[in-house]
């Protein structure tokens, strides 16, 4: 179905949640009209249940699709289908863990060639900054990547090594020269090397091996880099609340620093994670309940800018390696399909409205990467919509999720609402088979 209009009692507009009729033409919102606007008899209208709210489609700027090279871990077909079913209408693919990584124009073109014809929703691409590829950064920018990811500690895959402090400064200086964006996995390699990391099935031991100090030290380096070069920097998947004062001070200073966190850091807490449960392992790790509260407060205060999935799946063989030894298991949470529902549930429990959740997951992420026509319900924007029905609960079953490998920290979680309809550029996607109506985005 490609509706000419969407009618609902609750639509999230720039003026707040209100009754509205959304008029759609050629995949674009052409009007945000009164809910009782008369329409021609032949108009095809989607009537949304009163229990549901119409939100902008989620713009998830942190997804590891892994294709080509590790397509058994995920892939464009399965990742974009899972995304679409969860209300995500745009994603930006990370430059790893595919082989080759997106560290040159040739590698970007290889990834785009594989993605063609597989996309259930719209997809853009990050480039990568690794040792020795400074000369590739400007050509990648011209080829349309949205920015450049780097690591300050080992990434977990040999083909995407970390930058030393000197290499980070050199790469950031180059990126600043064309006003690009550097996005950083901020854990300090020296702090991690000094932390105890014995073989262990205990989650408390895993936490000790990825201490808060690793994030704080790395973020201090990122902030200093922004100060030194004038460049734009973005801190990926913040987990440690102990870095919040440093980030708040950087913003107050006027440095061009933005920050994201993830639904798993905002939904789970270390106290509730069983030992020998690698489905909860990620780097940096899920920390304690007080830390989680502080992250929510920082979101509400604007210190943290946005929320993204950091969907990082792997095969069961890799994810469950070590028979419960958390030092050997792959680190990554699979949550692409349930992030919006999980965030809505936890926000509601804390008395936070859906308009803030949507801003963190849609508008702010879209604005960060310059997609002014995404992530909002407004005239001229793409008609990308997610219908979240608050009368339809969701009990998550990892086996029932659309991503390729049925492992997820969210398995068994019951959420009070779920996405029941996703609309991509005016086209209502089939819940059984969303199809391949997505396109590839350039900066």
């Amino acid at each position: 179905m490609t509706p000419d209009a969407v009618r609902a009692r609750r639509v999230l507009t720039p003026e707040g949640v209100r009754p509205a009729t959304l008029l759609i033409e050629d995949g674009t919102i052409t009007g945000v009209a009164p809910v009782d606007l008369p329409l021609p008899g032949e108009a095809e209208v989607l009537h949304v249940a009163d229990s549901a709210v119409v939100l902008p489609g989620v713009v998830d700027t942190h997804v590891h699709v892994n294709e080509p090279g590790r397509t058994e871990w995920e892939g464009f077909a399965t990742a974009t289908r899972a995304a679409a079913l969860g209300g995500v209408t745009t994603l930006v693919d990370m430059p790893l863990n595919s082989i080759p990584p997106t560290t040159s124009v040739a590698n970007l073109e290889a990834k785009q060639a594989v993605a063609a014809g597989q996309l259930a929703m719209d997809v853009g691409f990050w480039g990568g900054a690794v040792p020795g590829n400074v000369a590739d950064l400007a050509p990648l920018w011209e080829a349309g990547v949205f920015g450049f990811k780097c690591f300050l500690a080992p990434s977990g895959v040999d083909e995407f090594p970390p930058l030393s402090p000197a290499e980070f400064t050199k790469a950031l200086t180059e990126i600043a020269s064309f006003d690009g964006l550097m996005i950083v996995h901020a854990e300090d390699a020296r702090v991690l090397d000094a932390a105890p990391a014995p073989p262990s099935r205990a989650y408390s031991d895993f936490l000790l091996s990825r201490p808060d100090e690793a994030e704080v030290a790395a973020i201090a380096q990122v902030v200093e880099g922004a100060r030194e070069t004038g460049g734009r920097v973005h801190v990926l998947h913040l987990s440690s609340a102990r870095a919040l004062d440093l980030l708040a001070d950087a913003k107050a200073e006027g440095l061009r620093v933005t920050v994201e966190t993830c639904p798993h850091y905002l939904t789970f807490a270390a106290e509730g994670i069983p030992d020998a449960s690698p489905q909860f392992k990620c780097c940096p790790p899920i920390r304690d309940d007080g830390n989680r509260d502080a992250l929510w407060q920082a979101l509400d205060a604007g210190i943290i800018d946005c929320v993204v999935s950091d969907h990082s799946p792997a095969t069961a063989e890799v994810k469950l390696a070590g028979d419960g030894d958390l030092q050997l298991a792959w680190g990554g949470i699979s949550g692409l399909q349930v992030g919006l529902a999980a965030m809505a549930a936890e926000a509601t429990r804390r008395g936070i409205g859906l308009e803030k959740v949507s801003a963190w997951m849609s508008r702010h992420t879209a604005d960060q990467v310059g997609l002014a026509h995404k992530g909002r319900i407004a005239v001229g924007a793409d008609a990308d919509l997610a219908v979240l029905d608050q009368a339809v609960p969701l009990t998550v079953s990892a086996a029932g999720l659309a991503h390729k490998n049925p492992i997820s920290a969210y398995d068994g979680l019951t959420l009070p609402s779920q996405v029941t309809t996703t609309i991509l550029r005016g086209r209502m996607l089939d819940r059984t088979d969303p199809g391949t109506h997505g396109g590839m985005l350039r900066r």
Side-chain angles (χ1 to χ4, degrees):
M1 178 182 181
T2 304
D4 301 303
V6 176
R7 285 198 200 271
R9 300 305 307 176
R10 292 192 295 159
V11 179
L12 179 55
T13 71
E15 295 76 37
V17 176
R18 61 181 177 87
T21 297
L22 302 180
L23 305 177
I24 300 170
E25 187 175 340
D26 296 329
T28 300
I29 298 171
T30 57
V32 181
V35 71
D36 56 357
L37 177 78
L39 294 170
E42 68 274 14
E44 195 156 10
V45 181
L46 173 65
H47 294 274
V48 175
D50 289 352
S51 57
V53 58
V54 180
L55 302 171
V58 171
V59 178
D60 192 339
T61 53
H62 194 147
V63 179
H64 293 269
V65 176
N66 304 332
E67 187 176 11
R70 288 192 176 93
T71 310
E72 69 276 13
W73 292 21
E74 193 58 279
F76 285 103
T78 50
T80 60
R81 182 170 184 268
L85 292 174
V88 179
T89 50
T90 303
L91 68 81
V92 187
D93 172 56
M94 282 290 162
L96 73 161
N97 300 304
S98 57
I99 302 174
T102 317
T103 51
S104 69
V105 171
N107 292 359
L108 170 65
E109 291 172 346
K111 180 172 283 197
Q112 290 170 328
V114 170
Q118 295 201 71
L119 306 180
M121 21 78 69
D122 291 346
V123 174
F125 302 90
W126 293 108
V130 296
N133 85 323
V134 168
D136 292 295
L137 301 177
L140 277 165
W141 185 249
E142 292 303 315
V145 301
F146 288 92
F148 304 91
K149 181 176 187 177
C150 73
F151 280 74
L152 303 182
S155 69
V157 293
D158 292 341
E159 67 276 0
F160 203 97
L163 298 178
S164 69
E167 290 166 333
F168 172 75
T169 300
K170 185 176 181 180
L172 183 55
T173 299
E174 171 68 7
I175 291 166
S177 73
F178 50 79
D179 200 31
L181 174 64
M182 176 76 100
I183 64 174
V184 187
H185 181 120
E187 289 184 285
D188 186 274
R190 292 162 293 189
V191 174
L192 294 178
D193 286 345
S200 177
R201 297 163 62 88
Y203 188 76
S204 58
D205 286 341
F206 174 64
L207 267 181
L208 291 174
S209 74
R210 314 292 297 207
D212 295 85
E213 291 77 9
E215 286 190 81
V216 174
I219 290 169
Q221 180 187 338
V222 173
V223 167
E224 182 55 34
R227 182 180 293 118
E228 194 176 312
T229 66
R232 292 192 292 146
V233 297
H234 178 73
V235 175
L236 298 167
H237 48 49
L238 179 72
S239 113
S240 175
R242 293 190 192 175
L244 289 171
D245 286 347
L246 175 62
L247 290 162
D249 289 347
K251 286 172 175 264
E253 185 182 335
L255 300 180
R256 298 199 292 170
V257 178
T258 53
V259 193
E260 69 183 35
T261 192
C262 305
H264 44 270
Y265 299 129
L266 300 165
T267 300
F268 304 111
E271 294 90 336
I273 296 177
D275 292 340
S277 298
Q279 66 269 32
F280 292 95
K281 178 185 174 180
C282 56
C283 300
I286 297 166
R287 304 191 190 275
D288 62 45
D289 187 57
N291 184 90
R292 175 175 59 169
D293 288 345
L295 294 179
W296 274 101
Q297 291 162 12
L299 268 169
D300 212 23
I303 300 169
I304 300 174
D305 301 276
C306 53
V307 177
V308 297
S309 70
D310 188 12
H311 179 71
S312 185
T315 62
E317 179 184 10
V318 175
K319 184 61 179 166
L320 306 179
D323 190 29
D325 182 346
L326 296 176
Q327 292 301 330
L328 295 179
W330 176 259
I333 302 286
S334 295
L336 182 59
Q337 190 171 332
V338 297
L340 176 57
M343 281 292 296
E346 188 65 20
T348 299
R349 188 176 76 81
R350 294 171 180 269
I352 296 172
L354 282 177
E355 67 279 2
K356 288 188 175 181
V357 172
S358 178
W360 298 330
M361 301 187 77
S362 299
R363 184 160 194 151
H364 292 181
T365 46
D367 288 349
Q368 181 201 29
V369 295
L371 293 174
H373 60 300
K374 298 285 191 183
R376 68 211 71 209
I377 294 175
V379 173
D382 282 358
D384 294 347
L385 307 172
V387 177
L388 184 75
D389 197 324
Q390 295 176 300
V392 183
L394 170 66
T395 297
V396 180
S397 165
L401 297 174
H403 67 256
K404 184 166 289 185
N405 290 284
I407 303 167
S408 177
Y410 296 92
D411 186 44
L413 198 66
T414 297
L415 304 170
S417 61
Q418 65 174 291
V419 174
T420 54
T421 302
T422 303
I423 294 175
L424 174 70
R425 286 181 276 103
R427 181 190 295 268
M428 194 164 78
L429 302 181
D430 188 286
R431 304 295 293 173
T432 304
D433 179 10
T436 54
H437 306 293
M440 280 183 270
L441 302 171
R442 291 171 53 92
R443 176 187 49 78

